[in-house]
Amino acid sequence: MFNKLLDPEGSKLPRLTQLGPQIGAEVRRLAALTLPQLATEIMTTAFKPEYMPGAMTELGAIADCFLPDYGPPRAGDTTSEEEHELRDLIAEGVQVLEQTRLVRPTFGYGGNLAGYGWVTTRLGRSALATASVQGTIERLPA
């Protein structure tokens, strides 16, 4: 991913705009899952069972968990249709996590930049710690 592989000298990895087919394959894989399966995969991939006060996970950070490794963007790079599809699909899965009370939305403000994301609830952290996310989702009314 870009953030963990940032190379100021110029990465040898492809740019995100060049990865449409790979992102499309991931979108098709995730779209084939049931909503509880999708939400479970998002929860177990993007969130941790440890409580981290003040931390939030934004949509872009969640999407990065499902993207192949990529290099830094260049001027003129645009967001591909596949990346938009991935973010829409992930947002749908996160909505299930919200409705089953495993995560809750949160807002942050750092003085000049506002952010929107999600944090795990105690129920969500417990489900992660006991590997019972999907069972919890299926038991709770949406």
Side-chain angles (χ1 to χ4, degrees):
M1 291 187 293
F2 173 66
N3 289 336
K4 73 179 180 182
L5 295 174
L6 181 60
D7 177 5
E9 303 300 320
S11 178
K12 303 227 184 308
L13 292 170
R15 296 190 324 274
L16 192 55
T17 59
Q18 300 169 319
L19 295 173
Q22 293 92 325
I23 298 169
E26 182 67 356
V27 166
R28 288 187 296 281
R29 183 186 74 79
L30 292 172
L33 300 175
T34 66
L35 282 175
Q37 290 170 332
L38 174 64
T40 298
E41 184 150 348
I42 291 168
M43 184 75 172
T44 58
T45 303
F47 295 95
K48 305 292 178 234
E50 297 80 31
Y51 175 58
M52 297 170 34
M56 74 172 143
T57 305
E58 296 178 342
L59 182 61
I62 298 171
D64 271 353
C65 295
F66 295 93
L67 292 171
D69 288 343
Y70 60 93
R74 294 191 185 146
D77 282 358
T78 59
T79 304
S80 69
E81 183 177 316
E82 293 88 357
E83 190 178 352
H84 283 296
E85 289 180 71
L86 178 65
R87 288 173 183 253
D88 288 347
L89 192 57
I90 287 171
E92 187 177 353
V94 172
Q95 183 179 41
V96 171
L97 296 173
E98 282 184 33
Q99 292 170 344
T100 55
R101 301 183 302 276
L102 298 180
V103 300
R104 67 172 179 80
T106 189
F107 305 88
Y109 182 69
N112 61 355
L113 185 63
Y116 177 83
W118 295 271
V119 295
T120 54
T121 62
R122 287 183 291 170
L123 179 64
R125 291 188 297 276
S126 174
L128 282 168
T130 59
S132 61
V133 172
Q134 188 164 342
T136 302
I137 290 169
E138 290 171 347
R139 268 195 324 277
L140 293 174

